[in-house]
Amino acid sequence: MKKAWWKESVVYQIYPISFKDSDGDGIGDLRGVISKLDYLQYLGVNVIWLCPIYKSPGHDNGYDISDYCAIKEQFGTMEDFDELLAEAHKRDMKIMMDLVLNHTSDEHPWFLESRSSKDNPKRDYYIWRKGKNGLYPNNWESYFSGSVWEYDAKTDEFYMHLYAKQQPDLNWENEAMVEELYKMIRWWLAKGVDGFRFDAIAHIVKAVGLPDADNPDNLPVVQAYQFFSNLDKVHDMLKKLNEQVLFEFDIMTVGETSGLGPEQALDYVGEDRNELDMVFQFEHMYLDAGSSGTGKWDIRSWTLLELKKIMSSWQTVLHGRGWNANYLSNHDQPRPVSRFGNDGEYREESAKMLATFMHMLQGTPYIYQGEEIGMTNVVFDSIDDYRDVETLNYYEQSRLRGQPEEVTMNAIHKKSRDNARTPMQWDDGPNAGFTEGEPWIKVNKNYKDVNVKQALADPNSIFHYYRKLISIRKQCEAIVYGDYTLLLPLDTEIYAFVRSVEHEKLLVILNFFDKTPVFDWPEDLRTDEKKLMISNYEPAEGEDVYHLTLRPYEARVYLLEGDCVKP
Ligand code: NOJ
C-alpha cells in the first residue's frame, strides 16, 4: 500500500457560519476559526476542511458562490483567510478548501451575463433549454424538491439547477467555462491551500439529450439520478483537471459522489486513475431512508447487519487499490450520536463507541465540528426556527401534497440538515459562547451540559477520548495501513473486526446497542500478549475476557501483536 500524508491524517470539518463568531453579528467567521486553531491542534487533527467561505448570497450557506476569488463579507477578508492559512501551517495543520464546481450562485457575474441574452458569449456557460409543450424541458426532480428547471422570462427559456433555483448548474461541455474554473483553482493553489473537497462532483456531466426519466405514475417530476450521476464523462473531466492543474501539487482531494458502490468508486480513486484521492460514499447514509419517492425524508430503521455489509465491502474492495474517506456526519447529515447511537442515557458511551468505529477503520477519518463533544440533533417545534433551504422546500412541498404536519415535522426532526448546523457549543454561557450577538440559528438547548469548556475539564469526556484515538492512530501502522477482517458477520449487535499488518494486529470490539451481548473471543486470536489500547469503560472486576459481557455501547480495542510504535 502506497504511503501518503493524507492517508495518515485526521480531518476536521468546519462549517464556518456555525463555528465561532468573532464580531457579534451572529454569524461564524474566519477570525473565529483562527481563534480556535489551538483547540484543534490540541485535539490532534492534521487537516481542516473548510466549508465554502467564498462570496455568496447564502441561499445554501455558501454552496452558492458568486465570486470564487473573494471572501464573503460576513466571514471576513482575504487577509483573514491568508492569516488563517499561515496560522494553520504554523501549527502543522493543512487547509482543504470546499470547491463547488457543479453550479454557481445565480448572482455570479457569469450567470448574470448568461441570462442576459441568448447570444451572450457566456450563454452556454450554463444549461439552457426551451420548454416542451409549455412545460419543463424534462421531468427531472431537483435535490431540493420540485423541478430542476427554472423559467426565465427574459429569454423565454429554462435553466437547469440540480439544487436550489439560486444555484444554476454550470455547463461542463463548454471549454471556455472549464478553462475559467482551472484558472481559479490555480489561483487558490498558488496561495498554498492543501487540498480540495469537490462538492457534487459526480453531477458535473449530464446525459446527452437530457432525456425524460421513466414516469409510470405521470408525476410532474421524478428522481432521475441515473441521468446526472457518475457518468463516464465525469472521469474524463477529472483526468483533465489533474493533467492541466492539480498534478504538480502535493494536495489531497476528496469528491462528493452519491449513488455509487465501492467497485464503481475505484473509477475515481483507483491508484492508477489520477482522478481523486478519496470519495465520500453515501451507502451508509441511506440505511435509514425508505424507498418511497421522498428519499431521505422517508424514515425507516437501520440495522447493524446492513451497516456491516456496506462498510465491510468498502473496506475490502478498496484495500490496496484505493482509499476510504470514513465519516458518520457532516453538515448535511443528522448528528451521529442521535442517529446511530443514543443521545439520551448513553450519549457519552455511544459517542465514544462510534468514534472508535470511525477511527479504527481503514481510511481517513473525518470529524465534523461538535462531534468531538457529542453534540446531538435539535428539535425545533416550529418550522420558523429552521433555516436550511432543503428543509424549507421539503416542508412546503409536503404541505402542498397534503401530508400531515406531524409527519413532516417528525421527518425534519430526524433528518434536517439543521441538526448539524446549530452553533458550536463552546461553553455554558449565553448562546453557548458562539456569539455575543443573536445567532443566525438557535443554539441547541442542551448546551449547558454539552459544551467544549466542560469537555476540556473532564478527563473522561468524549473530547479526550477522541484525542486518545487520534494519538493511537498516529502510532499504529495497522490502523492506517492494515487490512480489515470482519468477525461475526451475522451478529446483530456486535461489530467486531481485526486490523493487521505484518508486525501488528488489533482487535476492535463494538457493542452497537444498549443491550449486553457476550463477545466470544475467537480461539485463534487469544493471546497472553493482548493489551487494551482504549475503551469507553474500565474493564469490569473479575471479568472473563474471552467470554466478555459487553456493557451498553461498549467499545474496546486490543493490541494482539506488535507494539504500536511508529517505525
Ligand atoms: C453538497 C453540499 O454538501 C450541500 O451542503 C449542498 O447543499 C449541495 N452539495 C449543493 O452544493
Side-chain angles (χ1 to χ4, degrees):
M1 177 100 58
K2 273 196 222 141
K3 301 206 163 169
W5 62 264
W6 42 268
K7 295 183 178 173
E8 294 170 19
S9 294
V10 175
V11 182
Y12 186 94
Q13 183 192 351
I14 291 184
Y15 196 60
I17 192 169
S18 300
F19 190 62
K20 174 70 188 161
D21 176 22
S22 73
D23 59 7
D25 65 358
I27 287 176
D29 49 42
L30 293 175
R31 302 219 68 81
V33 177
I34 295 172
S35 73
K36 297 297 180 188
L37 288 176
D38 288 341
Y39 166 77
L40 297 176
Q41 188 183 27
Y42 182 56
L43 178 58
V45 298
N46 327 75
V47 179
I48 294 172
W49 154 17
L50 196 61
C51 286
I53 38 84
Y54 318 92
K55 189 166 172 209
S56 157
H59 291 288
D60 189 16
N61 288 349
Y63 286 89
D64 48 328
I65 299 172
S66 55
D67 184 344
Y68 285 102
C69 296
I71 304 292
K72 182 179 170 76
E73 222 176 285
Q74 286 158 314
F75 286 163
T77 62
M78 195 52 82
E79 287 69 44
D80 294 331
F81 177 82
D82 292 340
E83 188 178 324
L84 168 61
L85 188 61
E87 287 297 320
H89 286 169
K90 251 197 232 164
R91 292 167 178 79
D92 269 337
M93 288 192 281
K94 299 185 185 272
I95 300 278
M96 175 168 77
M97 306 294 288
D98 201 329
L99 254 192
V100 188
L101 304 178
N102 178 68
H103 47 271
T104 66
S105 157
D106 62 347
E107 293 182 26
H108 194 292
W110 298 344
F111 189 71
L112 298 180
E113 279 196 52
S114 180
R115 85 187 319 175
S116 66
S117 75
K118 283 187 188 165
D119 52 14
N120 185 281
K122 293 203 168 46
R123 179 67 170 181
D124 207 25
Y125 273 31
Y126 295 84
I127 303 170
W128 292 94
R129 290 291 183 277
K130 285 191 192 340
K132 242 180 11 196
N133 315 323
L135 292 168
Y136 300 132
N138 69 21
N139 63 5
W140 299 357
E141 183 179 26
S142 127
Y143 279 106
F144 292 167
S145 309
S147 169
V148 298
W149 296 102
E150 181 70 12
Y151 179 67
D152 200 48
K154 176 110 197 268
T155 55
D156 187 28
E157 284 192 346
F158 293 78
Y159 65 86
M160 183 186 286
H161 59 93
L162 294 186
Y163 295 91
K165 63 176 187 223
Q166 297 88 351
Q167 293 168 296
D169 275 47
L170 287 164
N171 175 15
W172 276 70
E173 305 290 337
N174 183 297
E175 285 180 17
M177 186 288 290
V178 174
E179 275 302 328
E180 297 220 38
L181 291 179
Y182 288 172
K183 204 165 108 197
M184 173 275 291
I185 298 172
R186 284 190 198 106
W187 185 84
W188 280 103
L189 286 166
K191 270 191 173 294
V193 302
D194 306 289
F196 298 108
R197 177 249 186 203
F198 293 117
D199 183 76
I201 200 73
H203 309 311
I204 56 176
V205 177
K206 282 75 178 171
V208 176
L210 313 180
D212 274 326
D214 281 349
N215 190 2
D217 299 329
N218 215 8
L219 298 168
V221 286
V222 283
Q223 285 175 357
Y225 305 140
Q226 69 275 24
F227 293 126
F228 51 77
S229 302
N230 305 304
L231 300 184
D232 287 347
K233 224 170 160 187
V234 175
H235 299 290
D236 301 339
M237 300 295 184
L238 283 171
K239 283 207 163 56
K240 206 162 151 215
L241 172 64
N242 273 278
E243 279 159 19
Q244 304 278 322
V245 186
L246 307 181
F247 76 99
E248 37 181 342
F249 297 88
D250 180 22
I251 55 169
M252 73 180 258
T253 55
V254 52
E256 189 198 28
T257 54
S258 55
L260 47 68
E263 290 291 351
Q264 214 185 343
L266 283 171
D267 292 344
Y268 286 102
V269 302
E271 302 226 319
D272 52 343
R273 296 281 299 180
N274 292 328
E275 294 190 25
L276 297 169
D277 294 328
M278 291 170 252
V279 291
F280 288 125
Q281 60 99 358
F282 280 69
E283 291 195 304
H284 62 318
M285 292 291 113
Y286 279 94
L287 275 178
D288 55 2
S291 49
S292 88
T294 56
K296 73 178 240 179
W297 302 106
D298 174 19
I299 320 274
R300 71 174 168 116
S301 45
W302 62 276
T303 68
L304 184 60
L305 288 190
E306 285 175 288
L307 180 67
K308 279 188 200 181
K309 203 166 147 208
I310 290 172
M311 300 310 276
S312 300
S313 117
W314 281 85
Q315 290 287 294
T316 47
V317 174
L318 263 54
H319 181 67
R321 302 160 78 194
W323 197 250
N324 276 291
N326 296 318
Y327 74 99
L328 285 179
S329 69
N330 60 39
H331 63 293
D332 293 332
Q333 301 294 339
R335 292 284 180 180
V337 71
S338 301
R339 187 183 197 180
F340 297 111
N342 176 316
D343 61 9
E345 185 179 352
Y346 296 111
R347 188 182 65 85
E348 300 230 351
E349 290 82 355
S350 64
K352 290 174 185 172
M353 184 277 291
L354 292 169
T356 316
F357 176 40
M358 282 296 102
H359 287 257
M360 291 300 143
L361 288 173
Q362 187 182 77
T364 300
Y366 287 72
I367 303 171
Y368 177 66
Q369 68 185 38
E371 188 186 312
E372 78 281 17
I373 55 166
M375 280 178 63
T376 67
N377 279 354
V378 72
V379 176
F380 293 138
D381 293 331
S382 161
I383 190 66
D384 298 340
D385 289 330
Y386 286 88
R387 299 285 174 268
D388 168 32
V389 57
E390 182 194 37
T391 306
L392 300 177
N393 286 1
Y394 166 69
Y395 181 86
E396 185 53 17
Q397 295 283 332
S398 306
R399 198 182 60 78
L400 294 174
R401 271 203 325 269
Q403 175 166 289
E405 163 100 5
E406 203 185 301
V407 175
T408 306
M409 288 310 284
N410 181 43
I412 288 176
H413 292 157
K414 293 220 163 59
K415 289 290 186 67
S416 168
R417 306 194 297 180
D418 282 338
N419 281 309
R421 298 177 178 187
T422 59
M424 181 71 185
Q425 293 163 206
W426 293 105
D427 59 38
D428 55 4
N431 298 316
F434 163 69
T435 179
E436 287 176 5
E438 188 62 33
W440 70 278
I441 184 169
K442 280 188 182 164
V443 171
N444 191 317
K445 275 200 242 137
N446 62 13
Y447 73 94
K448 292 219 186 258
D449 301 318
V450 180
N451 62 66
V452 169
K453 187 172 159 214
Q454 179 277 337
L456 287 171
D458 172 6
N460 287 321
S461 66
I462 301 168
F463 176 87
H464 286 294
Y465 191 89
Y466 267 84
R467 281 191 74 208
K468 189 163 174 196
L469 280 171
I470 295 170
S471 85
I472 293 176
R473 193 170 186 282
K474 287 182 184 157
Q475 291 308 312
C476 298
E477 209 185 330
I479 299 179
V480 180
Y481 294 110
D483 54 23
Y484 163 100
T485 311
L486 179 69
L487 306 176
L488 311 176
L490 299 179
D491 193 298
T492 54
E493 292 171 3
I494 301 172
Y495 192 157
F497 53 95
V498 173
R499 300 291 318 282
S500 56
V501 282
E502 231 168 67
H503 56 282
E504 221 169 67
K505 186 181 273 189
L506 289 138
L507 168 63
V508 181
I509 309 165
L510 309 166
N511 177 10
F512 255 78
F513 301 99
D514 59 0
K515 309 281 182 325
T516 53
V518 174
F519 176 70
D520 282 319
W521 199 293
E523 299 272 350
D524 58 336
L525 297 177
R526 296 184 184 185
T527 161
D528 292 341
E529 306 298 307
K530 66 183 166 312
K531 184 177 152 218
L532 184 59
M533 301 288 285
I534 188 165
S535 175
N536 53 355
Y537 285 85
E538 285 299 320
E541 193 124 337
E543 68 183 15
D544 176 358
V545 77
Y546 289 147
H547 303 280
L548 191 61
T549 304
L550 296 168
R551 287 156 287 186
Y553 300 99
E554 182 157 0
R556 294 192 185 199
V557 180
Y558 282 93
L559 180 63
L560 305 179
E561 274 172 45
D563 50 14
C564 270
V565 175
K566 208 168 178 189

